[in-house]
Amino acid sequence: MWHLFHFPLCPFSRKVRLALSEKGVAYELKRENPWDASDNFYTLNPAGRTPVLHDSERNRTLVDSQAICEYLEETVDKTPLILGSALARAEIRRLVALFDESFFYDVTGPLMHEKMKKRIVLRAAPDSGVLRSAMRLAHEHLDYIDWLIDNHRWLAGAQMSLADFAAAAQISVADYLGGIDWTGHDTAHGWYRVIKSRPSFRSLLTDKMEGIPPASHYADVNA
C-alpha cells in the first residue's frame, strides 16, 4: 500500500492525490507538516518537503510531485494523464511546470505564507500588500486559463491531462484561502467547476487546516 505524506494545503500533494485517484491507485494519507516534520519523514526526504509517496513493504520512496506523477504515468496504464503525440506531451509538461512554478510563486505561495504560515507558525499578521499583489497576479493567470479554454476543450488540448490537475490543485488552495476572484473569468470558472465536480476532487473539498477555515464557497461544486 502506498502512503502519501502531505498536509491539507500543500498544492503539490493535491496534484498527486488527484493523479492517484484518477488512475485508481489505492493509497493512504499520512499527515506531515513540513515546519514540524518527524525524524521519520526526514529519513524519507531529507529536504523535508511534501509530497512523499512511500511503500514500506516494497521499500519504495518517491519524492517530488512531478517525479511521482511521471512514475505513475509509466507504471499505471489506467487514465493516461501525459498523453498524445510527443508534441502534445511536451505541451502538457510545459503547462504543468507553469502552474507548479509560476502560479505557485505568484499566487499560491504568497497566500500560504501570509494566511497560513504567519498564522500557524510565525504568529504574525498578514501583509495586505502581499495579498493584494497575489490576487492581482491570480487574475493574470486566470486570463491565460480563459484563453486556453477558449482555444481548447481542456488546458493542453482536446483531452483532460495532468495540466488540468496541476492547475486545479494550485487554484484549490488559493480558493480555500479566499484568494480567487472569478469576476471576469467565466470561462476559467466553468472549467474549474467541471474539474471540481470530478470524484477525484471530493476528498480535497472536505480537507480542513486547523485554525484556518476555508472560504464559505470552497466546497460548493457550483461556486
Side-chain angles (χ1 to χ4, degrees), residues 18-211:
L18 290 168
L20 286 165
S21 296
E22 289 288 332
K23 286 182 166 293
V25 177
Y27 69 99
E28 293 182 359
L29 289 172
K30 294 287 186 181
R31 175 70 176 270
E32 197 72 52
N33 295 330
W35 55 90
D36 188 28
S38 64
D39 290 341
N40 178 58
F41 183 67
Y42 275 106
T43 299
L44 296 174
N45 182 14
R49 293 194 296 265
T50 54
V52 171
L53 192 62
H54 178 65
D55 185 334
S56 58
E57 293 180 0
R58 294 184 291 176
N59 194 29
R60 294 181 182 177
T61 302
L62 303 172
V63 175
D64 178 81
S65 70
Q66 191 57 23
I68 294 170
C69 288
E70 294 277 357
Y71 174 88
L72 295 172
E73 194 68 11
E74 292 182 16
T75 59
V76 182
D77 291 334
K78 181 181 177 181
T79 315
L81 296 176
I82 305 174
L83 68 171
S85 66
L87 189 62
R89 296 195 303 274
E91 175 64 2
I92 291 167
R93 290 185 172 100
R94 180 189 74 82
L95 288 171
V96 169
L98 176 71
F99 290 107
D100 280 357
E101 296 168 13
S102 297
F103 195 101
F104 180 78
Y105 179 82
D106 291 340
V107 182
T108 319
L111 287 171
M112 290 174 67
H113 182 79
E114 296 300 324
K115 289 197 165 189
M116 184 194 74
K117 189 173 182 180
K118 279 191 173 181
R119 184 166 186 171
I120 294 176
V121 182
L122 302 177
R123 306 294 182 183
D127 184 323
S128 60
V130 172
L131 295 176
R132 285 194 300 271
S133 175
M135 294 186 73
R136 176 180 58 80
L137 291 170
H139 278 291
E140 295 183 11
H141 285 280
L142 293 176
D143 280 339
Y144 186 48
I145 292 175
D146 285 333
W147 182 85
L148 289 170
I149 298 299
D150 280 340
N151 288 275
H152 308 288
R153 183 177 179 184
W154 299 96
L155 294 187
Q159 295 176 281
M160 180 184 64
S161 72
L162 187 61
D164 297 283
F165 293 112
Q170 295 289 336
I171 290 171
S172 70
V173 174
D175 194 41
Y176 183 106
L177 296 170
I180 297 294
D181 178 3
W182 294 106
T183 303
H185 303 289
D186 291 345
T187 302
H189 195 191
W191 160 84
Y192 182 63
R193 287 199 300 266
V194 172
I195 296 288
K196 194 176 179 180
S197 298
R198 294 186 68 80
S200 61
F201 218 92
R202 289 173 186 162
S203 65
L204 273 61
L205 298 178
T206 62
D207 275 357
K208 296 289 192 303
M209 192 77 187
E210 298 84 353

